[in-house]
Amino acid sequence: MSRNLKILIVTILTAGLAFGFGHHLTPHSSATGFERLHIFLFNLCGGSTVLLLFSEGRRHLSLTTGLFFFLAVGFTLAATFEFYTIAMLLPLPLALLVEYIRTQTFGRLWPAALFSGQETAAAKFHQAALLCLSLSLVFSSFVIANNSYFHLFSLEKFALNTFFLAFSFPLSLITMAVIFSRVEQNASSTGRFQTEICFWGVNLGVIVFFLFILAHQYIPQLLCALLLFFIVLLICYLYVRLGSKTQEKTFLGSGLLFLLITSVSGISYILLKFSTTLTPETLYPLLRLHAFTALYGWNLSGLAVICRRGDFPITLHSGKVIILHWLTVVILCPLGYFFAPVAVVAVVCYVILLFHLFLNRGVIDTDLGDSLHTLPHR
């Protein structure tokens, strides 16, 4: 990825975090717009653009990905300022652009490879990431249309502020694709069976979990969360045992630890949410920790590795950078959400972190470049 493009991505990711603290500057009633900017800028404008660039195998914005980026920014602004007619229409061309890139990358519109025993788990996770992104865009358009115009459903969770969280899942899937591209190089037939379990466990688990959230079913939510936790444990085991010892392994291993914390905090939140003695306000710090570790811990780890393919710096997996990452995500960001001075420190540390992850010049790691290119670009 070119340096100018990395600077653009870093700017978008920084703005996403900064807007996450925007409620310190505005009345509580106006905080929804900042929350949407916080999520959309990181997941859709920044992360999804990186996903499409990786799928195209390009260092610069192509016409397709460039158009996606500008339409994504338009969708973000329309949703933030509640121009719902525009926000309802823009996801449809965005989804078409994603599907165009997916069919160019994998050769056909119907994702038959997802059900093939011959396809690698890495390729399946990659295609699932693109498919999930396009479906999330279509569903977000439907949600806006329903809530603003048609009113076909009146479920409490059937809202844009619930569905925009789905834009995080494609980034999680493409990070899984990078991880399994390394695992499968050293996997036996038994290991490949385990990677297949991981693929379907992650995808079906998240989909069913989301459906239970919409239906407001407590016990099924908890069971799905526990299932996903054990799947994450299996992924960690496979990556530690089979992942090749290249520069990105330590950093992605740190990302998997963030994912474990996300799983544990999610299970804890579900258990405590239905307690009769705790109020939503009491649980909000746990929810913020869950959100920050998911986005800026786990997902950021994957984005950094993808953006630095071909020029992965030795310093990226140094102890200092990983400590800064954990300090920023686990301590400063959750505290910053409640205390404005800490929010300023969090943003400053985040900018320093992004510089090291995306812009710090380092030696070329050809082994990493080769490993990432084992994901199919057909």
Side-chain angles (χ1 to χ4, degrees), residues 179 236 239-240 248-258 326:
I179 287 173
C236 291
Y239 191 60
V240 170
E248 87 276 19
K249 183 173 184 178
T250 303
F251 192 71
L252 284 176
S254 174
L256 283 171
L257 288 179
F258 278 119
W326 279 81

Side-chain angles (χ1 to χ4, degrees), residues 119-131:
E119 189 66 281
T120 64
K124 290 182 179 182
F125 273 115
H126 186 177
Q127 181 162 196
L130 293 169
L131 189 60

